[in-house]
Amino acid sequence: MDNLLTVRNLSTYFYMEEGVVIAVDDVSFDLKSEEVLGIVGETGSGKSVTAKSIMRLIKPPGKIVSGEIIYKDKDILKINEREMHKIRGKEISMVFQDPMTSLNPLYTIGNQLMETIMQHQQVSKEEAFKRAVEMLKMVQIPEAEKRMNSYPFEFSGGMRQRVVIAIALSCNPSVLIADEPTTALDVTIQAQILELMKQLQSELKSALIFITHDLGVIASMASRIMVMYGGKQMEIGSSDDIFYSPMHPYTNMLLKSVPRVDKKLDRLEPIPGQPPRMIDIPKVCPFLPRCPRSVDKCSKDLPKLEMVSEGHYVRCYNPVGGEKR
């Protein structure tokens, strides 16, 4: 199957007074049609900046310093803002993590849905209204037509997130990026939103990039998983590779630090230490200070992301269950 989206050697830096924050460093991956790719890692690992780079939403002092983002044979880092405006929201859409701030409190839900539809689909106000009502029904908001006149404050957090999803899907995008869409919601509402997203992704046949720090969420959503740490890809492979044959020490320790229903753990093992400070970080493995498997080579240079089996890549000189390199 051909790649719908190809990201190659993407690097995004933030130029701060105290130094350069290397938020995303040399990240590459492919996304096929209708595929669900999960991106997982601790807070500050570069997941959201990767997503915003794809959407070209990086503002100063941030800058995409290198790489290619190929969408339908076109490098969207090289097109002008006017062309990008046609793609953003229509062909590549994003659900942000906080529904409280994703909606404008001064406009009705209907206005915000219709604005997106009219901007990208050149339809009349009447047609946009009909489409907006259909989208609210699709995301299972009761009395959809009546709720078109409601303001965001009149909705619960879960209902607001449904509206945000409806806006993101209103133009049938080929690629949907969901950036921790359930973080601000309680557990039962989280489950409903995840089930809804799986159902809509399947119905609309969109490819999905699902970003989270929650391994339990990613297990139920993704067919392929990319693990990030310190702005870098540590490991990428199928869900089975990541959950049953993790090779990077970080992935392995991450899995041991959360409860598993499929595997009995005597006790949870927290990862010692803290994530790296991202300003002017040395060109070695960012996990080095916390890694129990480090070897001399680790403190000298950064290992390459190398294939260990078909579709399974790891960045490590001493992988779990592998030979020292």
Side-chain angles (χ1 to χ4, degrees), residues 261-310:
V261 292
D262 61 334
K263 196 177 277 189
K264 187 172 183 281
L265 296 172
D266 294 330
R267 60 195 275 283
L268 297 179
E269 298 175 25
I271 303 174
Q274 295 294 324
R277 191 167 177 266
M278 301 301 290
I279 293 178
D280 298 323
I281 51 177
K283 288 283 181 184
V284 297
C285 176
F287 193 58
L288 174 61
R290 305 171 78 184
C291 184
R293 295 180 60 85
S294 61
V295 292
D296 288 345
K297 215 174 176 185
C298 300
S299 58
K300 292 179 180 141
D301 59 24
L302 178 69
K304 291 178 180 171
L305 191 72
E306 293 188 355
M307 189 164 78
V308 287
S309 61
E310 185 63 40

mmCIF file of all heavy atoms in Angstrom, residues 261-310:
data_model
loop_
_atom_site.group_PDB
_atom_site.id
_atom_site.type_symbol
_atom_site.label_atom_id
_atom_site.label_comp_id
_atom_site.label_asym_id
_atom_site.label_seq_id
_atom_site.Cartn_x
_atom_site.Cartn_y
_atom_site.Cartn_z
ATOM 1 N N VAL A 261 -3.229 -5.813 31.796
ATOM 2 C CA VAL A 261 -4.235 -6.868 32.014
ATOM 3 C C VAL A 261 -3.785 -8.187 31.397
ATOM 4 O O VAL A 261 -4.252 -9.257 31.769
ATOM 5 C CB VAL A 261 -5.621 -6.466 31.438
ATOM 6 C CG1 VAL A 261 -6.215 -5.330 32.220
ATOM 7 C CG2 VAL A 261 -5.539 -6.138 29.956
ATOM 8 N N ASP A 262 -2.854 -8.108 30.416
ATOM 9 C CA ASP A 262 -2.431 -9.312 29.706
ATOM 10 C C ASP A 262 -1.186 -9.946 30.335
ATOM 11 O O ASP A 262 -0.723 -10.988 29.895
ATOM 12 C CB ASP A 262 -2.153 -8.988 28.228
ATOM 13 C CG ASP A 262 -1.041 -7.975 28.060
ATOM 14 O OD1 ASP A 262 -0.840 -7.178 28.993
ATOM 15 O OD2 ASP A 262 -0.379 -7.991 27.020
ATOM 16 N N LYS A 263 -0.606 -9.303 31.347
ATOM 17 C CA LYS A 263 0.646 -9.808 31.912
ATOM 18 C C LYS A 263 0.678 -9.490 33.409
ATOM 19 O O LYS A 263 0.468 -8.354 33.800
ATOM 20 C CB LYS A 263 1.823 -9.121 31.203
ATOM 21 C CG LYS A 263 3.147 -9.807 31.407
ATOM 22 C CD LYS A 263 4.241 -9.111 30.619
ATOM 23 C CE LYS A 263 4.296 -9.554 29.172
ATOM 24 N NZ LYS A 263 5.484 -9.045 28.481
ATOM 25 N N LYS A 264 0.937 -10.525 34.221
ATOM 26 C CA LYS A 264 0.959 -10.310 35.673
ATOM 27 C C LYS A 264 2.325 -9.749 36.080
ATOM 28 O O LYS A 264 3.359 -10.329 35.807
ATOM 29 C CB LYS A 264 0.695 -11.635 36.391
ATOM 30 C CG LYS A 264 0.525 -11.482 37.899
ATOM 31 C CD LYS A 264 0.071 -12.791 38.515
ATOM 32 C CE LYS A 264 -0.180 -12.631 40.004
ATOM 33 N NZ LYS A 264 1.018 -12.642 40.806
ATOM 34 N N LEU A 265 2.289 -8.582 36.703
ATOM 35 C CA LEU A 265 3.519 -7.984 37.212
ATOM 36 C C LEU A 265 3.463 -8.011 38.741
ATOM 37 O O LEU A 265 2.453 -7.661 39.337
ATOM 38 C CB LEU A 265 3.637 -6.527 36.736
ATOM 39 C CG LEU A 265 3.762 -6.295 35.216
ATOM 40 C CD1 LEU A 265 3.676 -4.815 34.913
ATOM 41 C CD2 LEU A 265 5.064 -6.854 34.673
ATOM 42 N N ASP A 266 4.547 -8.460 39.361
ATOM 43 C CA ASP A 266 4.574 -8.491 40.830
ATOM 44 C C ASP A 266 4.443 -7.083 41.406
ATOM 45 O O ASP A 266 3.778 -6.854 42.392
ATOM 46 C CB ASP A 266 5.871 -9.144 41.330
ATOM 47 C CG ASP A 266 5.922 -10.622 40.950
ATOM 48 O OD1 ASP A 266 4.838 -11.219 40.859
ATOM 49 O OD2 ASP A 266 7.020 -11.141 40.730
ATOM 50 N N ARG A 267 5.127 -6.141 40.771
ATOM 51 C CA ARG A 267 5.021 -4.749 41.206
ATOM 52 C C ARG A 267 5.356 -3.842 40.028
ATOM 53 O O ARG A 267 6.093 -4.228 39.112
ATOM 54 C CB ARG A 267 5.962 -4.467 42.387
ATOM 55 C CG ARG A 267 7.418 -4.694 42.093
ATOM 56 C CD ARG A 267 8.256 -4.748 43.359
ATOM 57 N NE ARG A 267 8.664 -3.455 43.823
ATOM 58 C CZ ARG A 267 9.654 -2.723 43.295
ATOM 59 N NH1 ARG A 267 10.309 -3.173 42.244
ATOM 60 N NH2 ARG A 267 9.993 -1.574 43.807
ATOM 61 N N LEU A 268 4.796 -2.644 40.052
ATOM 62 C CA LEU A 268 5.112 -1.669 39.017
ATOM 63 C C LEU A 268 6.486 -1.076 39.312
ATOM 64 O O LEU A 268 6.852 -0.863 40.461
ATOM 65 C CB LEU A 268 4.057 -0.560 38.980
ATOM 66 C CG LEU A 268 2.632 -1.004 38.629
ATOM 67 C CD1 LEU A 268 1.692 0.179 38.664
ATOM 68 C CD2 LEU A 268 2.588 -1.668 37.264
ATOM 69 N N GLU A 269 7.239 -0.825 38.238
ATOM 70 C CA GLU A 269 8.591 -0.291 38.413
ATOM 71 C C GLU A 269 8.682 1.105 37.801
ATOM 72 O O GLU A 269 8.692 1.237 36.575
ATOM 73 C CB GLU A 269 9.611 -1.216 37.729
ATOM 74 C CG GLU A 269 9.652 -2.616 38.317
ATOM 75 C CD GLU A 269 10.597 -3.525 37.527
ATOM 76 O OE1 GLU A 269 11.531 -3.002 36.881
ATOM 77 O OE2 GLU A 269 10.384 -4.747 37.562
ATOM 78 N N PRO A 270 8.722 2.138 38.625
ATOM 79 C CA PRO A 270 8.856 3.489 38.067
ATOM 80 C C PRO A 270 10.219 3.677 37.404
ATOM 81 O O PRO A 270 11.195 3.029 37.789
ATOM 82 C CB PRO A 270 8.708 4.405 39.289
ATOM 83 C CG PRO A 270 9.072 3.544 40.448
ATOM 84 C CD PRO A 270 8.701 2.137 40.088
ATOM 85 N N ILE A 271 10.264 4.549 36.395
ATOM 86 C CA ILE A 271 11.543 4.845 35.741
ATOM 87 C C ILE A 271 12.271 5.876 36.605
ATOM 88 O O ILE A 271 11.739 6.957 36.857
ATOM 89 C CB ILE A 271 11.328 5.398 34.316
ATOM 90 C CG1 ILE A 271 10.517 4.409 33.475
ATOM 91 C CG2 ILE A 271 12.663 5.711 33.649
ATOM 92 C CD1 ILE A 271 10.137 4.919 32.102
ATOM 93 N N PRO A 272 13.474 5.556 37.101
ATOM 94 C CA PRO A 272 14.182 6.517 37.957
ATOM 95 C C PRO A 272 14.629 7.741 37.164
ATOM 96 O O PRO A 272 14.767 7.692 35.942
ATOM 97 C CB PRO A 272 15.386 5.720 38.457
ATOM 98 C CG PRO A 272 15.609 4.663 37.423
ATOM 99 C CD PRO A 272 14.263 4.335 36.852
ATOM 100 N N GLY A 273 14.858 8.847 37.882
ATOM 101 C CA GLY A 273 15.391 10.048 37.233
ATOM 102 C C GLY A 273 14.323 10.896 36.576
ATOM 103 O O GLY A 273 13.121 10.657 36.726
ATOM 104 N N GLN A 274 14.763 11.882 35.813
ATOM 105 C CA GLN A 274 13.885 12.850 35.161
ATOM 106 C C GLN A 274 14.157 12.895 33.658
ATOM 107 O O GLN A 274 15.272 12.606 33.220
ATOM 108 C CB GLN A 274 14.151 14.253 35.739
ATOM 109 C CG GLN A 274 13.800 14.411 37.214
ATOM 110 C CD GLN A 274 12.318 14.297 37.479
ATOM 111 O OE1 GLN A 274 11.508 14.741 36.671
ATOM 112 N NE2 GLN A 274 11.944 13.694 38.598
ATOM 113 N N PRO A 275 13.138 13.284 32.855
ATOM 114 C CA PRO A 275 13.384 13.479 31.422
ATOM 115 C C PRO A 275 14.451 14.549 31.203
ATOM 116 O O PRO A 275 14.663 15.397 32.076
ATOM 117 C CB PRO A 275 12.018 13.947 30.884
ATOM 118 C CG PRO A 275 11.023 13.489 31.897
ATOM 119 C CD PRO A 275 11.738 13.523 33.217
ATOM 120 N N PRO A 276 15.118 14.530 30.052
ATOM 121 C CA PRO A 276 16.232 15.469 29.846
ATOM 122 C C PRO A 276 15.751 16.904 29.698
ATOM 123 O O PRO A 276 14.641 17.160 29.248
ATOM 124 C CB PRO A 276 16.860 14.972 28.528
ATOM 125 C CG PRO A 276 15.734 14.303 27.811
ATOM 126 C CD PRO A 276 14.884 13.683 28.880
ATOM 127 N N ARG A 277 16.602 17.832 30.082
ATOM 128 C CA ARG A 277 16.368 19.249 29.795
ATOM 129 C C ARG A 277 16.735 19.449 28.326
ATOM 130 O O ARG A 277 17.835 19.117 27.901
ATOM 131 C CB ARG A 277 17.270 20.098 30.702
ATOM 132 C CG ARG A 277 16.960 21.561 30.693
ATOM 133 C CD ARG A 277 17.679 22.246 31.852
ATOM 134 N NE ARG A 277 17.448 23.678 31.814
ATOM 135 C CZ ARG A 277 18.260 24.550 31.225
ATOM 136 N NH1 ARG A 277 19.364 24.105 30.642
ATOM 137 N NH2 ARG A 277 17.997 25.837 31.234
ATOM 138 N N MET A 278 15.795 19.983 27.552
ATOM 139 C CA MET A 278 15.934 19.936 26.100
ATOM 140 C C MET A 278 16.810 21.043 25.505
ATOM 141 O O MET A 278 16.947 21.133 24.299
ATOM 142 C CB MET A 278 14.544 19.976 25.452
ATOM 143 C CG MET A 278 13.637 18.835 25.868
ATOM 144 S SD MET A 278 14.327 17.230 25.467
ATOM 145 C CE MET A 278 14.213 17.253 23.699
ATOM 146 N N ILE A 279 17.378 21.899 26.358
ATOM 147 C CA ILE A 279 18.208 22.997 25.848
ATOM 148 C C ILE A 279 19.639 22.517 25.632
ATOM 149 O O ILE A 279 20.281 22.002 26.544
ATOM 150 C CB ILE A 279 18.174 24.203 26.805
ATOM 151 C CG1 ILE A 279 16.765 24.812 26.800
ATOM 152 C CG2 ILE A 279 19.209 25.246 26.421
ATOM 153 C CD1 ILE A 279 16.569 25.974 27.720
ATOM 154 N N ASP A 280 20.099 22.690 24.383
ATOM 155 C CA ASP A 280 21.490 22.347 24.018
ATOM 156 C C ASP A 280 21.902 20.960 24.515
ATOM 157 O O ASP A 280 22.945 20.790 25.159
ATOM 158 C CB ASP A 280 22.465 23.410 24.563
ATOM 159 C CG ASP A 280 22.195 24.777 23.955
ATOM 160 O OD1 ASP A 280 21.866 24.831 22.766
ATOM 161 O OD2 ASP A 280 22.295 25.780 24.677
ATOM 162 N N ILE A 281 21.072 19.954 24.226
ATOM 163 C CA ILE A 281 21.371 18.603 24.713
ATOM 164 C C ILE A 281 22.531 17.988 23.917
ATOM 165 O O ILE A 281 22.669 18.234 22.728
ATOM 166 C CB ILE A 281 20.135 17.672 24.665
ATOM 167 C CG1 ILE A 281 19.471 17.687 23.285
ATOM 168 C CG2 ILE A 281 19.129 18.021 25.719
ATOM 169 C CD1 ILE A 281 18.308 16.733 23.155
ATOM 170 N N PRO A 282 23.394 17.188 24.569
ATOM 171 C CA PRO A 282 24.528 16.587 23.860
ATOM 172 C C PRO A 282 24.065 15.550 22.834
ATOM 173 O O PRO A 282 22.963 15.001 22.950
ATOM 174 C CB PRO A 282 25.335 15.921 24.984
ATOM 175 C CG PRO A 282 24.373 15.732 26.107
ATOM 176 C CD PRO A 282 23.359 16.836 25.995
ATOM 177 N N LYS A 283 24.901 15.307 21.833
ATOM 178 C CA LYS A 283 24.553 14.378 20.751
ATOM 179 C C LYS A 283 24.825 12.930 21.162
ATOM 180 O O LYS A 283 25.613 12.214 20.546
ATOM 181 C CB LYS A 283 25.334 14.737 19.485
ATOM 182 C CG LYS A 283 24.852 16.003 18.802
ATOM 183 C CD LYS A 283 23.577 15.747 18.029
ATOM 184 C CE LYS A 283 23.085 16.997 17.312
ATOM 185 N NZ LYS A 283 21.799 16.786 16.643
ATOM 186 N N VAL A 284 24.181 12.513 22.234
ATOM 187 C CA VAL A 284 24.224 11.116 22.675
ATOM 188 C C VAL A 284 22.774 10.687 22.927
ATOM 189 O O VAL A 284 21.861 11.494 22.799
ATOM 190 C CB VAL A 284 25.080 10.936 23.955
ATOM 191 C CG1 VAL A 284 26.527 11.301 23.683
ATOM 192 C CG2 VAL A 284 24.534 11.754 25.116
ATOM 193 N N CYS A 285 22.569 9.435 23.290
ATOM 194 C CA CYS A 285 21.211 8.964 23.568
ATOM 195 C C CYS A 285 20.616 9.778 24.727
ATOM 196 O O CYS A 285 21.212 9.840 25.808
ATOM 197 C CB CYS A 285 21.220 7.481 23.927
ATOM 198 S SG CYS A 285 19.583 6.865 24.395
ATOM 199 N N PRO A 286 19.439 10.402 24.543
ATOM 200 C CA PRO A 286 18.868 11.222 25.611
ATOM 201 C C PRO A 286 18.455 10.412 26.845
ATOM 202 O O PRO A 286 18.314 10.956 27.934
ATOM 203 C CB PRO A 286 17.646 11.870 24.949
ATOM 204 C CG PRO A 286 17.315 11.001 23.785
ATOM 205 C CD PRO A 286 18.607 10.419 23.318
ATOM 206 N N PHE A 287 18.302 9.090 26.673
ATOM 207 C CA PHE A 287 17.887 8.241 27.796
ATOM 208 C C PHE A 287 19.081 7.778 28.642
ATOM 209 O O PHE A 287 18.899 7.163 29.696
ATOM 210 C CB PHE A 287 17.098 7.029 27.268
ATOM 211 C CG PHE A 287 16.365 6.262 28.337
ATOM 212 C CD1 PHE A 287 15.431 6.872 29.158
ATOM 213 C CD2 PHE A 287 16.612 4.909 28.537
ATOM 214 C CE1 PHE A 287 14.754 6.172 30.144
ATOM 215 C CE2 PHE A 287 15.950 4.182 29.520
ATOM 216 C CZ PHE A 287 15.008 4.821 30.323
ATOM 217 N N LEU A 288 20.294 8.111 28.197
ATOM 218 C CA LEU A 288 21.521 7.627 28.850
ATOM 219 C C LEU A 288 21.538 7.788 30.384
ATOM 220 O O LEU A 288 21.830 6.820 31.093
ATOM 221 C CB LEU A 288 22.732 8.318 28.217
ATOM 222 C CG LEU A 288 24.101 8.054 28.854
ATOM 223 C CD1 LEU A 288 24.474 6.574 28.791
ATOM 224 C CD2 LEU A 288 25.174 8.894 28.184
ATOM 225 N N PRO A 289 21.193 8.968 30.957
ATOM 226 C CA PRO A 289 21.296 9.108 32.421
ATOM 227 C C PRO A 289 20.336 8.206 33.208
ATOM 228 O O PRO A 289 20.550 7.977 34.398
ATOM 229 C CB PRO A 289 20.940 10.596 32.654
ATOM 230 C CG PRO A 289 21.104 11.259 31.332
ATOM 231 C CD PRO A 289 20.782 10.225 30.312
ATOM 232 N N ARG A 290 19.295 7.699 32.554
ATOM 233 C CA ARG A 290 18.293 6.880 33.259
ATOM 234 C C ARG A 290 18.375 5.407 32.871
ATOM 235 O O ARG A 290 17.582 4.600 33.354
ATOM 236 C CB ARG A 290 16.883 7.404 32.942
ATOM 237 C CG ARG A 290 16.684 8.863 33.229
ATOM 238 C CD ARG A 290 15.353 9.385 32.713
ATOM 239 N NE ARG A 290 14.238 9.034 33.565
ATOM 240 C CZ ARG A 290 12.965 9.320 33.285
ATOM 241 N NH1 ARG A 290 12.661 9.939 32.158
ATOM 242 N NH2 ARG A 290 11.999 8.969 34.109
ATOM 243 N N CYS A 291 19.292 5.069 31.973
ATOM 244 C CA CYS A 291 19.288 3.735 31.362
ATOM 245 C C CYS A 291 20.125 2.718 32.150
ATOM 246 O O CYS A 291 21.317 2.937 32.400
ATOM 247 C CB CYS A 291 19.812 3.822 29.930
ATOM 248 S SG CYS A 291 19.721 2.243 29.058
ATOM 249 N N PRO A 292 19.524 1.569 32.515
ATOM 250 C CA PRO A 292 20.276 0.541 33.241
ATOM 251 C C PRO A 292 21.132 -0.335 32.322
ATOM 252 O O PRO A 292 21.919 -1.155 32.791
ATOM 253 C CB PRO A 292 19.165 -0.290 33.899
ATOM 254 C CG PRO A 292 18.002 -0.169 32.959
ATOM 255 C CD PRO A 292 18.104 1.193 32.341
ATOM 256 N N ARG A 293 20.988 -0.175 31.010
ATOM 257 C CA ARG A 293 21.709 -1.039 30.056
ATOM 258 C C ARG A 293 22.791 -0.282 29.282
ATOM 259 O O ARG A 293 23.282 -0.769 28.263
ATOM 260 C CB ARG A 293 20.706 -1.659 29.062
ATOM 261 C CG ARG A 293 19.710 -2.606 29.714
ATOM 262 C CD ARG A 293 18.760 -3.185 28.661
ATOM 263 N NE ARG A 293 19.444 -3.936 27.640
ATOM 264 C CZ ARG A 293 19.782 -5.218 27.731
ATOM 265 N NH1 ARG A 293 19.518 -5.890 28.848
ATOM 266 N NH2 ARG A 293 20.406 -5.832 26.748
ATOM 267 N N SER A 294 23.137 0.908 29.726
ATOM 268 C CA SER A 294 24.097 1.711 28.960
ATOM 269 C C SER A 294 25.477 1.047 28.929
ATOM 270 O O SER A 294 25.894 0.375 29.874
ATOM 271 C CB SER A 294 24.201 3.118 29.545
ATOM 272 O OG SER A 294 24.666 3.067 30.874
ATOM 273 N N VAL A 295 26.159 1.236 27.800
ATOM 274 C CA VAL A 295 27.527 0.739 27.618
ATOM 275 C C VAL A 295 28.409 1.949 27.284
ATOM 276 O O VAL A 295 27.917 3.052 27.076
ATOM 277 C CB VAL A 295 27.586 -0.327 26.492
ATOM 278 C CG1 VAL A 295 26.851 -1.587 26.912
ATOM 279 C CG2 VAL A 295 27.005 0.201 25.174
ATOM 280 N N ASP A 296 29.725 1.741 27.244
ATOM 281 C CA ASP A 296 30.660 2.862 27.029
ATOM 282 C C ASP A 296 30.315 3.685 25.790
ATOM 283 O O ASP A 296 30.397 4.913 25.790
ATOM 284 C CB ASP A 296 32.102 2.334 26.885
ATOM 285 C CG ASP A 296 32.646 1.846 28.229
ATOM 286 O OD1 ASP A 296 32.029 2.184 29.266
ATOM 287 O OD2 ASP A 296 33.659 1.136 28.230
ATOM 288 N N LYS A 297 29.932 2.985 24.728
ATOM 289 C CA LYS A 297 29.657 3.630 23.449
ATOM 290 C C LYS A 297 28.538 4.675 23.557
ATOM 291 O O LYS A 297 28.493 5.656 22.816
ATOM 292 C CB LYS A 297 29.251 2.538 22.451
ATOM 293 C CG LYS A 297 29.703 2.774 21.035
ATOM 294 C CD LYS A 297 29.368 1.557 20.200
ATOM 295 C CE LYS A 297 29.719 1.828 18.748
ATOM 296 N NZ LYS A 297 29.320 0.729 17.878
ATOM 297 N N CYS A 298 27.590 4.422 24.479
ATOM 298 C CA CYS A 298 26.406 5.286 24.613
ATOM 299 C C CYS A 298 26.780 6.721 24.965
ATOM 300 O O CYS A 298 26.057 7.659 24.603
ATOM 301 C CB CYS A 298 25.464 4.745 25.689
ATOM 302 S SG CYS A 298 24.842 3.088 25.351
ATOM 303 N N SER A 299 27.872 6.906 25.692
ATOM 304 C CA SER A 299 28.251 8.254 26.126
ATOM 305 C C SER A 299 29.116 8.977 25.090
ATOM 306 O O SER A 299 29.518 10.119 25.291
ATOM 307 C CB SER A 299 28.996 8.199 27.460
ATOM 308 O OG SER A 299 30.140 7.385 27.338
ATOM 309 N N LYS A 300 29.384 8.289 23.961
ATOM 310 C CA LYS A 300 30.260 8.883 22.943
ATOM 311 C C LYS A 300 29.494 9.436 21.750
ATOM 312 O O LYS A 300 29.866 10.465 21.202
ATOM 313 C CB LYS A 300 31.287 7.845 22.485
ATOM 314 C CG LYS A 300 32.262 7.516 23.612
ATOM 315 C CD LYS A 300 33.263 6.475 23.205
ATOM 316 C CE LYS A 300 34.202 6.206 24.388
ATOM 317 N NZ LYS A 300 34.552 4.835 24.538
ATOM 318 N N ASP A 301 28.445 8.739 21.322
ATOM 319 C CA ASP A 301 27.654 9.260 20.202
ATOM 320 C C ASP A 301 26.229 8.704 20.254
ATOM 321 O O ASP A 301 25.898 7.885 21.111
ATOM 322 C CB ASP A 301 28.317 8.965 18.845
ATOM 323 C CG ASP A 301 28.528 7.480 18.605
ATOM 324 O OD1 ASP A 301 27.798 6.667 19.218
ATOM 325 O OD2 ASP A 301 29.405 7.109 17.804
ATOM 326 N N LEU A 302 25.414 9.173 19.340
ATOM 327 C CA LEU A 302 24.002 8.791 19.291
ATOM 328 C C LEU A 302 23.835 7.585 18.366
ATOM 329 O O LEU A 302 24.224 7.648 17.195
ATOM 330 C CB LEU A 302 23.172 9.968 18.768
ATOM 331 C CG LEU A 302 21.669 9.751 18.610
ATOM 332 C CD1 LEU A 302 20.988 9.623 19.963
ATOM 333 C CD2 LEU A 302 21.055 10.897 17.819
ATOM 334 N N PRO A 303 23.254 6.474 18.846
ATOM 335 C CA PRO A 303 23.036 5.337 17.941
ATOM 336 C C PRO A 303 22.030 5.669 16.847
ATOM 337 O O PRO A 303 21.161 6.522 17.038
ATOM 338 C CB PRO A 303 22.489 4.235 18.873
ATOM 339 C CG PRO A 303 22.014 4.934 20.095
ATOM 340 C CD PRO A 303 22.781 6.206 20.205
ATOM 341 N N LYS A 304 22.177 5.005 15.704
ATOM 342 C CA LYS A 304 21.224 5.207 14.603
ATOM 343 C C LYS A 304 19.979 4.368 14.845
ATOM 344 O O LYS A 304 20.026 3.358 15.551
ATOM 345 C CB LYS A 304 21.866 4.798 13.274
ATOM 346 C CG LYS A 304 22.974 5.734 12.839
ATOM 347 C CD LYS A 304 23.604 5.250 11.551
ATOM 348 C CE LYS A 304 24.716 6.189 11.119
ATOM 349 N NZ LYS A 304 25.481 5.643 9.997
ATOM 350 N N LEU A 305 18.882 4.793 14.230
ATOM 351 C CA LEU A 305 17.649 4.002 14.261
ATOM 352 C C LEU A 305 17.819 2.889 13.232
ATOM 353 O O LEU A 305 17.889 3.152 12.037
ATOM 354 C CB LEU A 305 16.449 4.895 13.906
ATOM 355 C CG LEU A 305 15.064 4.309 14.132
ATOM 356 C CD1 LEU A 305 14.724 4.203 15.609
ATOM 357 C CD2 LEU A 305 14.013 5.171 13.441
ATOM 358 N N GLU A 306 17.925 1.633 13.710
ATOM 359 C CA GLU A 306 18.216 0.523 12.802
ATOM 360 C C GLU A 306 17.153 -0.560 12.876
ATOM 361 O O GLU A 306 16.570 -0.804 13.937
ATOM 362 C CB GLU A 306 19.591 -0.073 13.129
ATOM 363 C CG GLU A 306 20.723 0.893 12.825
ATOM 364 C CD GLU A 306 22.099 0.252 12.958
ATOM 365 O OE1 GLU A 306 22.182 -0.917 13.373
ATOM 366 O OE2 GLU A 306 23.086 0.941 12.635
ATOM 367 N N MET A 307 16.941 -1.229 11.729
ATOM 368 C CA MET A 307 15.927 -2.281 11.663
ATOM 369 C C MET A 307 16.427 -3.546 12.355
ATOM 370 O O MET A 307 17.536 -4.008 12.093
ATOM 371 C CB MET A 307 15.568 -2.591 10.203
ATOM 372 C CG MET A 307 14.376 -3.518 10.075
ATOM 373 S SD MET A 307 13.636 -3.534 8.422
ATOM 374 C CE MET A 307 14.803 -4.564 7.558
ATOM 375 N N VAL A 308 15.597 -4.098 13.251
ATOM 376 C CA VAL A 308 15.951 -5.341 13.955
ATOM 377 C C VAL A 308 15.128 -6.522 13.426
ATOM 378 O O VAL A 308 15.537 -7.676 13.553
ATOM 379 C CB VAL A 308 15.765 -5.200 15.485
ATOM 380 C CG1 VAL A 308 16.859 -4.343 16.068
ATOM 381 C CG2 VAL A 308 14.396 -4.651 15.856
ATOM 382 N N SER A 309 13.977 -6.216 12.857
ATOM 383 C CA SER A 309 13.168 -7.221 12.148
ATOM 384 C C SER A 309 12.262 -6.440 11.209
ATOM 385 O O SER A 309 12.235 -5.200 11.243
ATOM 386 C CB SER A 309 12.342 -8.074 13.132
ATOM 387 O OG SER A 309 11.441 -7.271 13.863
ATOM 388 N N GLU A 310 11.514 -7.119 10.368
ATOM 389 C CA GLU A 310 10.676 -6.454 9.366
ATOM 390 C C GLU A 310 9.746 -5.422 10.013
ATOM 391 O O GLU A 310 8.882 -5.748 10.816
ATOM 392 C CB GLU A 310 9.829 -7.506 8.622
ATOM 393 C CG GLU A 310 9.004 -6.942 7.474
ATOM 394 C CD GLU A 310 9.864 -6.346 6.366
ATOM 395 O OE1 GLU A 310 10.914 -6.925 6.037
ATOM 396 O OE2 GLU A 310 9.468 -5.287 5.843
#
